[in-house]
Amino acid sequence: MTKTTMKKWIQLFLALVLMTGLSLCSETPDDMEAPIEEQTDEQEDVLDSVPDSSDEEADDSKATNTVLDAETANKITENLVIDDKVILPGDLPNNIKNGESILEDLKFDTDTLFYIDGLTKRVRVRKSPNRSLPTFLARVVGSDFYIQGSFQEAGKQQKEEEEDTLAILNFGLETTDLELPLNFDLEILPQDSEGTVVDTTSIDVGIEDTNGNCNFKPDDSVLWEWIATIQDKTFYLAPMYPQITSGSVLGCCENGISSYTVNCKTSSQRSVDYETIFTVELEYLKFYSHGHLGGELFQYTQNLDVGNTDFCGGNAGYMRRNTYNIYNGKYTFNPDCSLTIDSIEGLTDAIYAPNGDFIADVPRPVYVGTSPASQYEFLSPHFLKETRSVDATLERIYERRTNTLKWYD
């Protein structure tokens, strides 16, 4: 994602747009088009108080690291849960000196990684599309050895006009035999397909104890950003993670003319492959005093457009849409250290009949659940878990942040 594209994204959040409703137990895209209405003054206030993503993180959002002894650092390295992890002896190879051999200035979506047991954190790495990043080297500072792990390539989640793509580092840690809380530095050296280190970075890691956090205070400078949806204890969805469905559609090519019709001779039938994409790029909540809340959502969908599909050339046509939503609501903080969202109202799309007659206002998507279907539990100072009573296997995890998406060297 280029700086220009990021600027456009931030501007989209400040655009005049529409209202939303609820999806209590599913992550289903809504793809209806409608004219844009003006937002209310109350909705505009939510946007006005969103921290600028260029602002520095607040002090309490940074992990305070300690110098680890070799035994503790080695135990953490052994307990890291990394894709295709291999433990290697010695220190990291030093083939980057004073930045002279850096092949690409990669960007990471965090410089401080908070973590709780049982969670898989996704560190996003922004790279050029012609740079393959299959693997990386990593070392807990103070350890006698290091590891090699694999990135998850995630380029398809980016829109066609994006100049950059993403690689994902899935981070986990088995904390059973570690004394929490715990803080350390993690050095990361991404490698290209030849095994050459192309850049280097260091991330502060803070492992929190999950004894709950009853020190909740409404704070309009804090975001609770949705970072993952878990289904049956398995990762299901996350910001910028695409749900991609492949299929094929049958149409006609007669005398060089492409058409989608059932009245097609067998000899003229052509099959075209396509991919639909559904990506929730961002959703977050802000809790204000007096029991009020606000939130935003940004979503991208790509659906098949058979009318613009070229069956002669074999090229699928698509309808692409960026859906934006801003919403307000009310919540209750309970004595048992839980939180209940009582109501949410957001933007709507006006739907019209072919003759122009108004049919209805249809809510734009919101994936935050409300009472009585959802209960929110503070797991630690930085993590909030939503559990849905209508489907106890579905959980959404939110992380406390002081800004929206920001890229770090």
Side-chain angles (χ1 to χ4, degrees):
M1 186 179 293
T2 62
K3 293 182 178 178
T4 301
T5 305
M6 267 300 300
K7 183 177 180 181
K8 291 180 180 178
W9 186 15
I10 298 301
Q11 289 172 343
L12 280 171
F13 285 116
L14 304 177
L16 299 176
V17 280
L18 297 169
M19 278 185 66
T20 188
L22 295 158
S23 174
L24 293 180
C25 57
S26 67
E27 305 276 352
T28 305
D30 172 24
D31 223 29
M32 290 174 285
E33 297 288 349
I36 293 180
E37 300 173 358
E38 292 185 358
Q39 62 191 26
T40 65
D41 291 339
E42 184 179 7
Q43 291 164 342
E44 193 172 32
D45 288 342
V46 178
L47 281 176
D48 290 343
S49 58
V50 175
D52 190 313
S53 62
S54 63
D55 292 343
E56 292 296 323
E57 293 276 0
D59 291 341
D60 63 353
S61 67
K62 297 288 288 183
T64 302
N65 296 336
T66 56
V67 178
L68 300 179
D69 58 81
E71 181 181 359
T72 303
N74 291 342
K75 184 182 295 185
I76 294 172
T77 302
E78 292 171 348
N79 289 6
L80 287 174
V81 180
I82 300 292
D83 294 341
D84 303 319
K85 172 183 160 185
V86 177
I87 295 180
L88 301 169
D91 200 352
L92 287 170
N94 186 18
N95 63 336
I96 293 184
K97 297 181 180 180
N98 302 321
E100 296 175 1
S101 300
I102 290 178
L103 301 179
E104 182 171 347
D105 184 16
L106 302 174
K107 304 294 182 183
F108 289 71
D109 72 346
T110 185
D111 66 346
T112 299
L113 192 158
F114 288 101
Y115 180 80
I116 54 174
D117 191 29
L119 180 68
T120 297
K121 286 295 294 292
R122 292 164 49 82
V123 178
R124 293 170 290 194
V125 183
R126 198 180 77 197
K127 65 183 184 66
S128 62
N130 58 354
R131 175 77 64 190
S132 176
L133 290 182
T135 59
F136 62 90
L137 305 176
R139 173 180 176 267
V140 176
V141 174
S143 66
D144 295 323
F145 43 84
Y146 64 102
I147 65 169
Q148 183 179 63
S150 295
F151 283 114
Q152 171 194 345
E153 289 284 352
K156 280 190 176 180
Q157 68 190 32
Q158 297 297 95
K159 307 181 192 65
E160 280 195 348
E161 68 271 16
E162 301 291 3
E163 296 178 8
D164 296 333
T165 56
L166 299 181
I168 305 296
L169 188 164
N170 291 313
F171 175 94
L173 181 67
E174 174 54 58
T175 65
T176 303
D177 55 350
L178 296 173
E179 185 176 345
L180 304 181
L182 183 66
N183 301 288
F184 57 89
D185 288 325
L186 182 68
E187 296 176 288
I188 301 174
L189 281 64
Q191 297 174 295
D192 63 16
S193 56
E194 302 298 323
T196 302
V197 172
V198 301
D199 199 359
T200 182
T201 192
S202 178
I203 293 179
D204 301 333
V205 181
I207 312 299
E208 298 184 325
D209 197 356
T210 53
N211 289 329
N213 173 36
C214 285
N215 296 320
F216 170 73
K217 295 180 181 179
D219 185 347
D220 62 10
S221 67
V222 170
L223 309 175
W224 287 92
E225 181 184 4
W226 164 69
I227 61 168
T229 295
I230 310 299
Q231 182 79 49
D232 294 320
K233 304 300 180 182
T234 302
F235 171 82
Y236 173 64
L237 197 63
M240 292 189 177
Y241 181 86
Q243 286 189 321
I244 301 175
T245 303
S246 300
S248 60
V249 61
L250 198 63
C252 291
C253 179
E254 294 182 336
N255 300 319
I257 299 175
S258 176
S259 63
Y260 177 67
T261 175
V262 295
N263 300 317
C264 184
K265 294 185 300 184
T266 302
S267 61
S268 300
Q269 289 180 348
R270 299 290 187 274
S271 179
V272 174
D273 296 331
Y274 66 87
E275 287 185 335
T276 62
I277 301 176
F278 166 56
T279 307
V280 180
E281 298 189 335
L282 174 71
E283 185 170 28
Y284 74 83
L285 291 166
K286 296 183 70 176
F287 297 106
Y288 300 90
S289 58
H290 310 299
H292 291 275
L293 64 85
E296 285 186 301
L297 175 144
F298 192 72
Q299 175 179 292
Y300 172 74
T301 52
Q302 172 181 291
N303 290 324
L304 176 67
D305 182 358
V306 292
N308 288 316
T309 294
D310 180 8
F311 292 98
C312 294
N315 300 313
Y318 292 105
M319 294 179 290
R320 298 181 176 90
R321 187 188 183 199
N322 293 313
T323 300
Y324 171 79
N325 201 359
I326 181 171
Y327 44 88
N328 300 277
K330 295 183 178 181
Y331 72 93
T332 301
F333 183 65
N334 306 312
D336 64 352
C337 197
S338 67
L339 186 146
T340 304
I341 294 179
D342 304 307
S343 62
I344 286 179
E345 290 185 357
L347 306 179
T348 60
D349 285 327
I351 305 301
Y352 297 90
N355 64 1
D357 291 343
F358 172 78
I359 298 177
D361 285 321
V362 178
R364 288 194 172 192
V366 175
Y367 302 121
V368 170
T370 61
S371 177
S374 299
Q375 192 74 15
Y376 293 80
E377 174 189 2
F378 288 93
L379 302 178
S380 72
H382 282 88
F383 294 98
L384 177 67
K385 179 177 73 173
E386 172 193 350
T387 303
R388 310 209 171 173
S389 58
V390 294
D391 185 356
T393 67
L394 181 67
E395 297 176 348
R396 298 184 100 228
I397 307 297
Y398 302 80
E399 182 174 1
R400 181 185 184 276
R401 299 174 66 98
T402 53
N403 61 27
T404 52
L405 180 63
K406 180 179 178 180
W407 295 102
Y408 299 83
D409 288 322

